């Protein structure tokens, strides 16, 4: 998918300073535009990046799923694939391709949904939400199958530290931590639904000779059933309410004044403010010239009939 995206991007057609220009139309956008060695935001938008404006006003809800398969650059792709190998192989070996595949996909959808409710100016791509879903599922799998594990507390502490470090990285600018949080919460709840294991006693009873056990051992413990039912209800209600709010154009930042700090914490080294920027635009044919009013930087884009949302997004990138 990344190769196809780079083909669609065709950097030499829209920029004179492409990186690795010898790759032809597969060359990368300039570092100033995309430091991750990848395509432009316009190419990602064409390929199905999460664009809240199009989801809400053009009913392109499929972008909540397609954005999971897109990556902003080579570094982004490699980081996600390495994480998937480290986390996903162990889960898939234990629970199978179907269950982990569904968990991965639904977690990615949950991450996209929460991201869309909070970040509505920029596009979003990547499998980070789905990967955090796998981390969340590992945590809930440990909890729901607590009695079968040795060294429970050590395993729990290690997993919590890994999750905390990864979520902490999300407070850096230009990282969509809402997708991480949404994916993690979705995966955590899905783990209770998909990764429940039967009791050892039930398995022994199942394969024992008739009459070997004097009492019938239930397949699952009571607390496992309670967690399964509760998690399923929360998932269904949460996804339903979230989708309704999104399609109605709700911006959760209007209802939570501090939530934006979950995705970016401003410091003396960087700013998180990507909203209060403005640009002067001049459209001539298929050429769009933008000048950032904040910094004075200008850039020419090949884009016919640019929409307001596209101009806003390009302006935010130009003024960084």
């Amino acid at each position: 998918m990344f190769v196809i995206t780079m083909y669609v991007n065709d950097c030499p057609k829209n920029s004179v300073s492409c990186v690795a220009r010898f790759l032809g139309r597969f060359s990368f956008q300039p570092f100033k535009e995309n430091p991750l060695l990848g395509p432009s935001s316009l190419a990602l938008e064409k390929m199905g990046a999460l664009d809240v404006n199009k989801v809400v006003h053009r009913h392109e809800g499929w972008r909540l799923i397609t954005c999971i398969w897109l990556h902003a650059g080579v570094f982004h792709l490699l980081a996600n694939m390495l994480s998937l190998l480290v986390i996903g192989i162990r889960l898939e070996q234990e629970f199978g391709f179907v269950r982990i595949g569904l968990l991965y996909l639904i977690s990615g959808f949950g991450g996209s949904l929460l991201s869309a409710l909070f970040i509505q100016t920029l596009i979003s791509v990547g499998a980070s939400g789905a990967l955090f879903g796998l981390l969340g599922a590992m945590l809930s799998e440990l909890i729901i199958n607590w009695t079968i594990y040795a060294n429970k507390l050590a395993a729990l502490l290690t997993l919590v530290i890994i999750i905390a470090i990864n979520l902490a990285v999300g407070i850096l600018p230009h990282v969509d931590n809402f997708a991480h949080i949404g994916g993690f919460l979705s995966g955590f709840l899905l783990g209770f639904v998909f990764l429940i294991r039967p009791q050892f006693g039930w398995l022994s009873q199942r394969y024992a000779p008739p009459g070997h056990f004097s009492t019938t051992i239930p397949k699952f413990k009571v607390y496992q059933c309670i967690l399964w039912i509760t998690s399923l209800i929360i998932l269904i209600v949460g996804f339903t309410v979230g989708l309704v709010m999104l399609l109605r154009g709700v911006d959760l930042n209007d209802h939570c004044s501090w939530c934006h700090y979950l995705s970016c914490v401003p410091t003396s080294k960087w700013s998180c403010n990507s909203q209060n920027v403005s640009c002067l635009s001049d459209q001539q044919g298929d050429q769009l010239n933008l000048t950032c009013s904040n910094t004075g930087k200008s850039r020419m884009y090949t884009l016919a009939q640019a929409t307001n949302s596209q101009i806003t997004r390009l302006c935010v990138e130009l003024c960084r």
Side-chain angles (χ1 to χ4, degrees), residues 252-264:
L252 287 184
N253 290 296
D254 297 335
H255 306 278
C256 181
S257 59
W258 56 269
C259 285
H260 61 279
Y261 291 118
L262 294 174
S263 187
C264 183

Side-chain angles (χ1 to χ4, degrees), residues 134-153:
L134 296 182
L135 280 175
M138 290 177 69
L139 180 59
S140 56
E141 189 269 331
L142 175 62
I143 295 172
I144 199 169
N145 303 312
W146 185 257
T147 57
I148 72 173
Y149 278 97
N151 301 319
K152 304 177 181 64
L153 293 178

Side-chain angles (χ1 to χ4, degrees), residues 300-315:
M300 185 75 73
Y301 300 90
T302 302
L303 181 64
Q305 298 178 340
T307 64
N308 289 334
S309 63
Q310 289 175 326
I311 292 176
T312 300
R313 188 177 309 112
L314 292 172
C315 178

Side-chain angles (χ1 to χ4, degrees), residues 41-256:
S41 60
L42 295 177
L44 290 169
E45 184 183 338
K46 289 179 183 177
M47 293 297 294
L50 178 56
D51 183 339
V52 175
N53 180 64
K54 291 188 176 181
V55 171
V56 175
H57 300 292
R58 298 190 187 180
H59 309 293
E60 297 180 2
W62 46 267
R63 289 180 178 271
L64 292 165
I65 296 294
T66 56
C67 67
I68 302 171
W69 313 110
L70 299 174
H71 290 84
V74 173
F75 298 139
H76 187 201
L77 177 63
L78 291 177
N80 277 356
M81 291 305 99
L82 179 60
S83 300
L84 183 59
L85 287 173
V86 172
I87 302 170
I89 288 180
R90 176 250 170 183
L91 286 173
E92 188 173 324
Q93 287 174 340
E94 290 194 33
F95 297 99
F97 169 78
V98 174
R99 277 195 280 182
I100 300 306
L102 284 173
L103 194 151
Y104 180 87
L105 189 61
I106 299 172
S107 296
F109 173 79
S112 298
L113 182 58
L114 189 65
S115 173
L117 288 169
F118 280 101
I119 301 177
Q120 303 192 345
T121 303
L122 304 174
I123 64 171
S124 180
V125 295
S128 300
L131 292 169
F132 269 83
L134 296 182
L135 280 175
M138 290 177 69
L139 180 59
S140 56
E141 189 269 331
L142 175 62
I143 295 172
I144 199 169
N145 303 312
W146 185 257
T147 57
I148 72 173
Y149 278 97
N151 301 319
K152 304 177 181 64
L153 293 178
L156 178 62
L157 181 61
T158 301
L159 194 52
V160 168
I161 291 174
I162 292 172
I163 293 169
I165 292 173
N166 279 276
L167 286 174
V169 172
I171 66 174
L172 296 173
H174 313 312
V175 178
D176 186 357
N177 211 29
F178 286 115
H180 297 171
I181 296 170
F184 174 79
L185 293 176
S186 299
F188 181 71
L189 294 171
L190 286 166
F192 291 124
V193 177
F194 287 150
L195 307 186
I196 186 173
R197 300 176 192 257
Q199 299 186 68
F200 276 139
W202 178 85
L203 290 172
S204 301
Q205 173 185 267
R206 185 180 182 186
Y207 296 106
H212 184 76
F213 286 87
S214 58
T215 58
T216 302
I217 301 175
K219 185 175 183 179
F220 301 111
K221 290 182 177 293
V222 174
Y223 83 90
Q224 289 179 306
C225 297
I226 293 173
L227 286 172
W228 190 92
I229 295 171
T230 304
S231 299
L232 186 60
I233 292 173
I234 294 174
L235 275 169
I236 294 173
V237 173
F239 281 161
T240 302
V241 172
L243 278 172
V244 170
M245 293 175 68
L246 176 60
L247 296 178
R248 288 185 176 180
V250 174
D251 185 345
L252 287 184
N253 290 296
D254 297 335
H255 306 278
C256 181

